[in-house]
Amino acid sequence: MSKEEKPESMSLYPLGTAAAPEPELLCIFGTGDLGRSLGQRLLQSGYKVVYGSRRPHSCGPVPQGAQVMSHTAAAQSASVVFICIQREHYGFLEQLAPQLKRKVLVDVSNNLRKNLYPEANAEYLQRLTPEAYVVKAFNTLSAWALQNGPSDSNRQVYLCGNSTEAKEAVTEIATRLGFSVQDRGSLSAARELEDFPLQLFPLWRLPLRLAFGLTAFFFFYLLTRDVIYTYATQKKDISFRIMVSLANKVFPIVSLIMLALCYLPGVIAAVFQLYRGTKYRRFPDWLDRWMLCRKQLGLLALAFAFLHVLYTLIIPIRTVTVLCRTDCHFKMKENQTSELDTTIAWRSDSYYSMGILGFGLYVLLGITSLPSVSNALSWREFSFIQSKLGYLTLFFCTFHTYLYGWDMFLRSSYYKWYTPPGYMLSLLVPSVVLVLKLLLLLPCVDRSLTRIRQGWERTEPQDDSQKSLIT
């Protein structure tokens, strides 16, 4: 090839070398646990991090790759500043107001208790730096969640602020870290966000109170009927049964009632919709609160069912240990045998079978309520398990209790001091729920309810008359 001829070619450079954007620099005020965890997570997500500290040379360990500067230098170097310090130390930020002008300040602080200050921390920060854009965010996440990344139970980041552009910047950062963002509006919602971490099991309060109340009531009810009645009428002390036998009567009773209470609000809601002829009217507040805590009711019911199973496994061991030397030894000595009653055998086998099936479905309901499992299910699959199999669980457990009672309700000896046995009281709520559910499954009722839930509304005669007058 001659020197004059030049091949048509072009130089090849590594793709993306020149086009690679410079990592965005973010600033963090505070080198505590939360500040270090947040910085570590930001570095792992491709950001550059600079810390602002009052002691840049002796602030303690920081994540590898991060820089430490004074507050003034760090604030000037980044457009987004995370405030990871307590409200009590916000005073110096007022002096940095010129350096923080038009910066996005992300307030992640929380208080020790509600209503500790007259205004929210984020609002106080906005007052100290009036020309900055304050956004309340990341305060519902712990240092552990930031270090280990979002999990199924801790993916949500709530934020609020007065600047749309500032919230968009913080949203982009949170999304890049792997969190989902929920915008709660203006900065006036900051107090609500700061109260979130202070709530202690808000959805568990009603179920726990209900469980404690039912347990206490049935414990003293059965204590009176079984132990005190026997001592008062026969002068016989059977108080040793309190620890195992009596407890094993209380646990299944509470479990069955609480399981029924999980499905009763759904039946009541269906009745409201049928009566009103629409699904667009709000339910009463008490029914809303009841429906929101159904999961917690079910999990507590499952816990009582587990206790019932464990105590049931213990009772035969205790019975053999205590009674084998008396009754069994006497029969062996006298060479006595008992004939097999097939009716009792059928009853006991059916009783155990219903209990095992009910408990197996019980466990399935508990497993599918876990976020890691429910997130892997479609809505139809989740609804099938929690609704249809849930009612089947309630049926098996209720039938299990009926088989336990068998013909006890016909014998006057079981009505001690004219009070019904505890198992009879436990059957009231689940029996009502099952009967109402059967009525709702009738074709004529189910057809109307399905139409209402698909958006159909019953037209009131009064509305028709008003429409005719208007036309």
Side-chain angles (χ1 to χ4, degrees):
M1 183 179 296
S2 62
K3 295 181 179 180
E4 291 77 16
E5 295 178 359
K6 294 183 179 180
E8 295 181 0
S9 61
M10 61 181 296
S11 300
L12 296 179
Y13 296 95
L15 293 178
T17 301
E22 183 72 17
E24 183 180 355
L25 179 64
L26 302 178
C27 174
I28 299 177
F29 281 2
T31 55
D33 293 338
L34 186 63
R36 291 197 302 268
S37 301
L38 178 60
Q40 182 67 41
R41 189 66 186 168
L42 290 171
L43 288 169
Q44 293 172 353
S45 301
Y47 290 100
K48 294 175 64 177
V49 175
V50 58
Y51 283 93
S53 175
R54 55 186 172 180
R55 297 188 300 271
H57 302 292
S58 60
C59 64
V62 296
Q64 186 176 3
Q67 295 178 297
V68 183
M69 304 179 182
S70 64
H71 287 126
T72 303
Q76 292 173 341
S77 63
S79 60
V80 178
V81 181
F82 289 87
I83 311 298
C84 298
I85 56 179
Q86 296 295 329
R87 176 186 174 128
E88 293 81 5
H89 306 296
Y90 278 7
F92 75 95
L93 294 173
E94 189 173 10
Q95 301 174 0
L96 291 178
Q99 288 79 19
L100 297 175
K101 182 179 180 180
R102 305 187 67 82
K103 305 280 187 179
V104 177
L105 305 185
V106 185
D107 179 34
V108 302
S109 64
N110 288 311
N111 296 319
L112 296 177
R113 62 178 185 272
K114 293 183 179 180
N115 301 320
L116 186 60
Y117 300 103
E119 59 184 348
N121 296 348
E123 294 175 319
Y124 174 59
L125 178 61
Q126 183 69 82
R127 185 160 57 85
L128 293 177
T129 57
E131 296 186 86
Y133 306 116
V134 176
V135 177
K136 186 73 182 183
F138 291 96
N139 68 301
T140 57
L141 299 179
S142 63
W144 184 90
L146 289 170
Q147 279 184 342
N148 296 274
S151 62
D152 291 327
S153 60
N154 203 358
R155 289 183 177 274
Q156 200 84 306
V157 169
Y158 299 95
L159 62 81
C160 66
N162 296 330
S163 171
T164 304
E165 292 78 8
K167 289 193 292 185
E168 289 176 353
V170 178
T171 299
E172 182 181 352
I173 296 172
T175 304
R176 191 166 170 178
L177 295 183
F179 297 98
S180 60
V181 178
Q182 184 173 349
D183 190 347
R184 305 291 289 193
S186 66
L187 201 61
S188 59
R191 181 176 291 277
E192 179 186 359
L193 267 60
E194 292 172 5
D195 288 344
F196 279 174
L198 301 177
Q199 296 177 355
L200 183 62
F201 303 117
L203 294 178
W204 287 87
R205 292 175 184 173
L206 177 60
L208 286 172
R209 291 170 182 170
L210 185 62
F212 178 80
L214 288 173
T215 303
F217 171 78
F218 280 104
F219 176 80
F220 289 109
Y221 183 80
L222 295 176
L223 178 68
T224 303
R225 294 187 76 257
D226 295 351
V227 179
I228 298 178
Y229 175 84
T230 303
Y231 184 79
T233 57
Q234 304 176 21
K235 301 299 181 182
K236 188 176 181 181
D237 183 13
I238 58 171
S239 58
F240 65 91
R241 294 185 178 179
I242 293 176
M243 301 304 296
V244 177
S245 298
L246 188 66
N248 198 39
K249 290 183 179 181
V250 174
F251 293 147
I253 290 174
V254 177
S255 177
L256 182 59
I257 293 176
M258 295 193 69
L259 178 62
L261 292 176
C262 291
Y263 294 95
L264 182 57
V267 175
I268 296 175
V271 173
F272 268 108
Q273 290 176 338
L274 287 170
Y275 176 75
R276 294 171 173 176
T278 180
K279 70 172 185 177
Y280 297 109
R281 291 181 59 184
R282 281 182 57 89
F283 295 124
D285 291 339
W286 59 268
L287 184 57
D288 274 338
R289 291 194 298 269
W290 191 354
M291 296 183 73
L292 286 174
C293 65
R294 286 181 295 178
K295 175 181 177 180
Q296 288 73 18
L297 284 170
L299 291 176
L300 286 175
L302 178 60
F304 280 100
F306 264 111
L307 290 174
H308 174 50
V309 171
L310 293 175
Y311 273 65
T312 302
L313 295 175
I314 291 174
I315 285 179
I317 301 174
R318 195 279 314 267
T319 303
V320 170
T321 303
V322 176
L323 300 179
C324 184
R325 296 181 181 179
T326 56
D327 186 59
C328 296
H329 179 72
F330 176 77
K331 288 186 176 181
M332 292 172 61
K333 186 176 180 179
E334 297 295 328
N335 196 22
Q336 295 180 359
T337 58
S338 300
E339 294 184 2
L340 176 65
D341 189 338
T342 56
T343 302
I344 296 178
W346 266 102
R347 170 204 167 192
S348 61
D349 282 7
S350 301
Y351 162 73
Y352 285 118
S353 177
M354 292 297 102
I356 293 171
L357 290 174
F359 181 71
L361 291 176
Y362 229 140
V363 173
L364 179 62
L365 294 177
I367 293 174
T368 54
S369 67
L370 298 174
S372 58
V373 178
S374 60
N375 290 342
L377 300 174
S378 66
W379 170 247
R380 186 175 183 182
E381 293 168 343
F382 182 79
S383 178
F384 173 79
I385 295 174
Q386 293 293 329
S387 180
K388 293 181 174 58
L389 293 186
Y391 280 106
L392 186 61
T393 305
L394 182 61
F395 170 75
F396 281 147
C397 294
T398 305
F399 193 32
H400 170 72
T401 309
Y402 273 109
L403 289 173
Y404 167 79
W406 198 248
D407 58 351
M408 290 184 188
F409 69 98
L410 298 175
R411 304 177 186 178
S412 59
S413 59
Y414 284 94
Y415 294 87
K416 301 173 183 178
W417 280 333
Y418 304 102
T419 58
Y423 86 91
M424 293 181 63
L425 297 180
S426 71
L427 286 171
L428 293 177
V429 179
S431 299
V432 170
V433 173
L434 291 174
V435 170
L436 291 176
K437 183 60 179 178
L438 287 175
L439 294 176
L440 292 175
L441 290 177
L442 293 175
C444 56
V445 180
D446 182 65
R447 192 181 306 114
S448 300
L449 186 59
T450 302
R451 290 179 63 194
I452 290 173
R453 289 176 174 174
Q454 290 176 347
W456 176 82
E457 292 186 274
R458 183 173 61 240
T459 305
E460 298 292 343
Q462 182 179 0
D463 294 341
D464 292 338
S465 61
Q466 289 179 354
K467 288 180 181 180
S468 62
L469 289 175
I470 292 174
T471 56

